[in-house]
Amino acid sequence: MTAGRARQRQPQRKRMHLAVRFPGAGSATVWADPRAGSRTDFASFRHLAATAERGLFDFFLLSEGPRPREHKGRIHDLDAVGRPEPVTVLSALAAVTERIGLAAAVGTAFHEPYELARRLASLDHLSGGRAAWNVVSSSDDAFLGANFRRGGGLDRADPYARAGEFVATARELWDSWTPGGVPRPFAHHGRHFSVSGTFDVARGPQGRPVVIQAGDSGEEREFAASAADVILTGHGSLEAGQALYADVKGRLAAYGRRPEELKVMQGVTFVLGDTDAEAQENAAEIRKQQVSPQKALFAAERVWGRDLSGHDPDGPLPTVDPDPAVAGSLAVAARWRAVAEAKGLSLRQTVIEVTGRQSFIGAPASVAAQLDEYVTAGAADGFVLVPHLVPGGLDEFADRVVPLLQERGAFRTEYAGATLREHLGLPLPVWKG
């Protein structure tokens, strides 16, 4: 056998998928940093999306925020409140980008299938087949519901029943147009929705928008196996990632699907430096920025269930016990106190110590190797990066890590197609009109 034939028979190198999420509220972003841009200015969205497209990423993910995050009636003034509606922003981005997918995280609790399916189908046409929908089944419906006409939360014994029917109804609407461009009447009558009529947006360039599901629970994995094209999971150890990956892929056969029809992507953060040691120093400094004195107090209030606004965040932990009505609070407070006593930490330092860390830390070559290992070892198909700075936090990754991934053969060197389904290697959906 010649060397040429041997090379031809070698399996193709598995390449990872990459996406980026525009950070909103939460502990990952440092909005107080002088380098941070506006949370609402279109230039911020355009910069991050353009950087991701320059880096040949699969998609740009933007979440909705139908109500500012609050704690005991106080709005978190350091959170990204007041951000524009995601499908609107992504529609504008469709005009200033060419290839990158545009994904909107939109909840199923207070929207209606017809109006959301219509907006997403419109985005798919405006972008030339790059639209995606991150299906959100909110666990905080009573809080969000006060902003809507229902006046409160939805009565849902099964949190995924409405979401599942919502997705199925949206697909029925998208499929009500034939591939040849002929509209047909639709009718859906189920537990949560009863709609009928004629959908007014033709079938999109990629058949229908890509559907994304986020979550690690058994219910979320099952929902993804039955209805999603991509599942977004939390980052854990390599072994935990392998177990989740095998579990999710193993659920697909029950729905007549193949493993390659669902992509498993981990949501991760990263910190770079010229050396691994410098990256660790950078990461420690970023954690200090991420946990401001105010955020440290909010974190403690969620554990103690008490108003700690007058407490010194740079002082010791509260001496009072947590409100026993807060489930699990006594155990969490005991763990925090043990850490604080052992290391001589203040309240803020304790919160920094016990809360999340960056997922991948190191010099560009180290981070590239770590990412590649997770994919080749069967722990993920790719990653959704969450930079700690907006909008420039992805620039260094695109400039220093992506070329190394390409050198390893772990990532594309050009877009092979025009649609998001082509980027992800997903088959065109079968028309079920």
Side-chain angles (χ1 to χ4, degrees):
M1 180 183 295
T2 66
R5 288 184 179 178
R7 283 194 296 270
Q8 289 175 2
R9 293 186 178 182
Q10 290 177 354
Q12 185 177 3
R13 176 98 159 58
K14 185 176 181 181
R15 290 183 172 179
M16 71 180 66
H17 297 282
L18 291 175
V20 64
R21 180 170 70 83
F22 189 99
S27 60
T29 318
V30 184
W31 290 106
D33 191 294
R35 296 169 294 172
S38 169
R39 310 162 196 181
T40 58
D41 192 322
F42 182 67
S44 293
F45 303 108
R46 180 174 55 196
H47 182 117
L48 189 58
T51 303
E53 186 167 68
R54 174 164 56 84
L56 305 177
F57 279 40
D58 292 76
F59 61 86
F60 171 95
L61 173 61
L62 182 60
S63 301
E64 69 173 353
R67 180 172 176 173
R69 281 161 45 105
E70 301 172 23
H71 181 67
K72 294 186 178 296
R74 303 196 306 276
I75 293 177
H76 296 195
D77 64 358
L78 295 182
D79 282 342
V81 300
R83 191 168 61 193
E85 190 276 325
V87 179
T88 303
V89 175
L90 295 175
S91 297
L93 287 175
V96 295
T97 57
E98 296 181 353
R99 294 294 188 90
I100 191 165
L102 303 169
V106 183
T108 58
F110 301 105
H111 293 282
E112 294 296 329
Y114 187 93
E115 59 91 11
L116 182 55
R118 187 169 182 252
R119 285 192 287 143
L120 292 169
S122 299
L123 175 61
D124 204 46
H125 280 282
L126 289 173
S127 64
R130 296 183 282 137
W133 172 27
N134 179 188
V135 181
V136 178
S137 178
S138 175
S139 61
D140 203 9
D141 291 333
F143 170 73
L144 297 177
N147 276 9
F148 293 82
R149 63 183 175 83
R150 293 188 182 93
L154 297 173
D155 181 14
R156 294 188 298 160
D158 178 0
Y160 297 99
R162 180 183 170 92
E165 188 177 338
F166 198 119
V167 173
T169 306
R171 282 179 167 158
E172 289 175 31
L173 296 172
W174 293 327
D175 282 350
S176 65
W177 281 68
T178 71
V182 178
R184 295 183 175 183
F186 67 85
H188 174 94
H189 302 290
R191 174 185 169 192
H192 295 279
F193 306 106
S194 182
V195 293
S196 61
T198 305
F199 195 56
D200 69 338
V201 184
R203 191 169 175 83
Q206 58 177 344
R208 54 181 180 241
V210 168
V211 172
I212 303 170
Q213 162 68 24
D216 294 342
S217 72
E219 288 179 318
E220 289 162 334
R221 297 181 195 191
E222 197 67 27
F223 183 82
S226 68
D229 301 301
V230 178
I231 180 172
L232 307 184
T233 73
H235 173 263
S237 67
L238 178 65
E239 293 75 17
Q242 289 172 321
L244 184 148
Y245 187 90
D247 178 69
V248 171
K249 296 283 187 174
R251 296 172 187 251
L252 293 168
Y255 299 97
R257 305 180 66 193
R258 301 186 303 275
E260 61 270 22
E261 293 181 43
L262 177 67
K263 304 302 179 183
V264 178
M265 300 183 68
Q266 293 188 358
V268 301
T269 56
F270 63 93
V271 178
L272 300 175
D274 289 336
T275 65
D276 289 348
E278 182 181 89
Q280 290 290 345
E281 293 176 1
N282 292 342
E285 185 59 33
I286 289 169
R287 285 300 298 151
K288 292 179 183 178
Q289 289 182 289
Q290 288 172 331
V291 184
S292 66
Q294 184 181 18
K295 284 190 175 181
L297 286 177
F298 280 138
E301 284 188 349
R302 286 194 293 271
V303 173
W304 263 260
R306 302 181 186 278
D307 183 359
L308 300 177
S309 57
H311 194 87
D312 181 6
D314 293 316
L317 292 175
T319 56
V320 63
D321 284 334
D323 183 344
V326 180
S329 61
L330 292 173
V332 175
R335 179 167 62 87
W336 284 26
R337 283 170 171 159
V339 170
E341 182 176 355
K343 299 187 176 184
L345 304 179
S346 67
L347 185 154
R348 182 186 178 198
Q349 291 170 330
T350 301
V351 174
I352 292 172
E353 182 70 20
V354 302
T355 54
R357 295 286 188 273
Q358 291 82 7
S359 306
F360 294 99
I361 303 171
S366 298
V367 171
Q370 294 172 56
L371 295 171
D372 192 18
E373 180 185 15
Y374 267 73
V375 173
T376 57
D381 291 313
F383 306 91
V384 179
L385 305 183
V386 185
H388 73 277
L389 280 180
V390 174
L394 189 65
D395 291 25
E396 188 177 16
F397 187 96
D399 293 336
R400 303 184 67 187
V401 179
V402 167
L404 297 178
L405 292 171
Q406 293 168 330
E407 288 177 10
R408 301 171 71 96
F411 190 61
R412 65 170 63 95
T413 55
E414 62 181 355
Y415 286 115
T419 70
L420 178 54
R421 287 189 180 276
E422 290 175 298
H423 302 343
L424 292 168
L426 295 170
L428 283 174
V430 177
W431 180 62
K432 297 181 180 179

